[in-house]
Amino acid sequence: MRSVLYCRPGLFLSLLTVSVLFLSSGFAARAQDELVVADQKGQQKAVFEASGANRDLPYRIRWVEFEAAAPLLQALGAGAVDTGIAGDSPFFFAWGAGLPVKAVYVVPPRGGGHATAVVAPSGSAITSAAQLSGKRIATGRGSVGHLLLLRLIGTGAIPAPAPRIVFLQPAQAKAALDTGRVDAWSTWEPYVSLETAGRHGHVVADAAGLMPNNSFLVATVTALRDRRALLADFYGRVSRAYVWGRAHPEEYARILAQQTGLPEEVASSVARQLIASPVPVSEAVEDAERTTVETCREAGLITSSMPVSQAFDRVEAVGGPLP
């Protein structure tokens, strides 16, 4: 695994320090009756509004858009946003680097882990994990795509020589794949569907059976202390919105396409892959995520020895049917 490039937690904190002033300056004056919510590619906002979960809100929600979990978590660490959704690997990477964040609700995988996958472009001869040996693969540093590659290498699915991992954010990774500067892209939804449904690429290997594939609703320690009642109401609405989304995937896909500009066939694929109802974090979730944390520690992504249990804070969502 010598050719694999690993991330240093100190680098994550350095990147965070650079962005703190910019991120926090725009949100420092927010009111106590406002939640600033980080979203990835508009997916959470789309299901929230399509379901009607935003009706009769007793507080204001300000949505902030991110293309991936890493900058989203940087914003959380800077205190620029209160809560957001992130995959397990980038969350633990951020938490292990000392960011003041906690996972509050788990969004379990739907579809057996297919929402995280290594994709190859149309016309590529790469069709199996074994063929990724020695290839150039793009992914986000500390992302679920990065974790998938580490697991494929660690289990021997990708034999030696290890692939060369090129760390890029999604827009740059997609451009690199389209122009042939990398051979494959280890990514997540909606980018898996964007490449496979939208551009007729194909899945080489996915995360089924290799990792927990959980996402988390994450909040800052400050928000958990000062806006706990707002968070409880918001998480309850989000949970019920996702229940609605599972029952109305076509309507969700239509709103998602309208709000994000994703092609309709991509939005429909995302709706099928991602809509799963958030639930409170359980001991079973903690146990499963120890595999994620240990994989990150072995790769040098996490140096902290804090127990996994300290990464969670359970907020009881306000229940009841949608208004």
Side-chain angles (χ1 to χ4, degrees), residues 27 52 100 154 170 185 187 228 261 274 298:
F27 300 99
W185 179 16
T187 189
R228 199 172 187 90
L274 284 190
E298 290 172 5

Side-chain angles (χ1 to χ4, degrees), residues 12-119:
F12 185 95
L13 291 174
S14 297
L15 292 172
L16 172 63
T17 301
V18 170
S19 60
V20 165
L21 291 178
F22 172 76
L23 290 168
S24 55
S25 62
F27 300 99
R30 67 180 179 270
Q32 287 299 311
D33 62 348
E34 176 183 74
L35 275 181
V36 183
V37 180
D39 199 6
Q40 289 192 52
K41 297 297 291 182
Q43 296 173 75
Q44 193 174 1
K45 180 182 179 183
V47 71
F48 196 84
E49 294 185 351
S51 69
N54 59 335
R55 289 198 295 267
D56 300 322
L57 275 170
Y59 50 90
R60 178 185 176 189
I61 294 178
R62 189 188 303 184
W63 296 92
V64 185
E65 178 75 12
F66 297 90
E67 69 166 345
L72 182 155
L73 287 158
Q74 290 173 22
L76 278 165
V81 297
D82 297 311
T83 187
I85 190 167
D88 50 5
S89 178
F91 163 69
F92 285 114
F93 181 27
W95 168 78
L99 269 64
V101 293
K102 299 278 187 178
V104 183
Y105 266 65
V106 60
V107 185
R110 187 180 181 192
H114 303 305
T116 304
V118 180
V119 297

Side-chain angles (χ1 to χ4, degrees), residues 223-247:
L224 287 165
R225 182 192 66 213
D226 298 339
R227 294 181 172 84
R228 199 172 187 90
L230 271 64
L231 288 172
D233 180 83
F234 175 71
Y235 294 145
R237 290 171 182 266
V238 168
S239 296
R240 299 191 298 280
Y242 274 66
V243 170
W244 177 91
R246 291 192 67 174

Side-chain angles (χ1 to χ4, degrees), residues 110-231:
R110 187 180 181 192
H114 303 305
T116 304
V118 180
V119 297
S122 176
S124 171
I126 300 173
T127 58
S128 69
Q131 292 175 295
L132 295 170
S133 174
K135 297 295 192 293
R136 291 173 60 86
I137 307 175
T139 196
R141 194 187 299 268
S143 68
V144 290
H146 189 185
L147 179 64
L148 172 57
L149 289 177
L150 294 176
R151 293 290 293 151
L152 288 169
I153 295 167
T155 60
I158 301 178
R164 174 70 181 272
I165 301 179
V166 182
F167 292 121
L168 298 170
Q169 289 298 312
Q172 290 73 36
K174 182 179 182 304
L177 189 70
D178 291 346
T179 57
R181 289 183 288 126
V182 296
D183 302 296
W185 179 16
S186 187
T187 189
W188 54 91
E189 291 291 2
Y191 304 111
V192 173
S193 292
L194 192 62
E195 185 59 34
T196 56
R199 297 184 61 84
H200 308 294
H202 57 271
V203 170
V204 176
D206 62 32
L210 288 174
M211 48 198 249
N213 299 294
N214 290 319
S215 293
F216 291 108
L217 293 172
V218 182
T220 67
V221 171
T222 299
L224 287 165
R225 182 192 66 213
D226 298 339
R227 294 181 172 84
R228 199 172 187 90
L230 271 64
L231 288 172

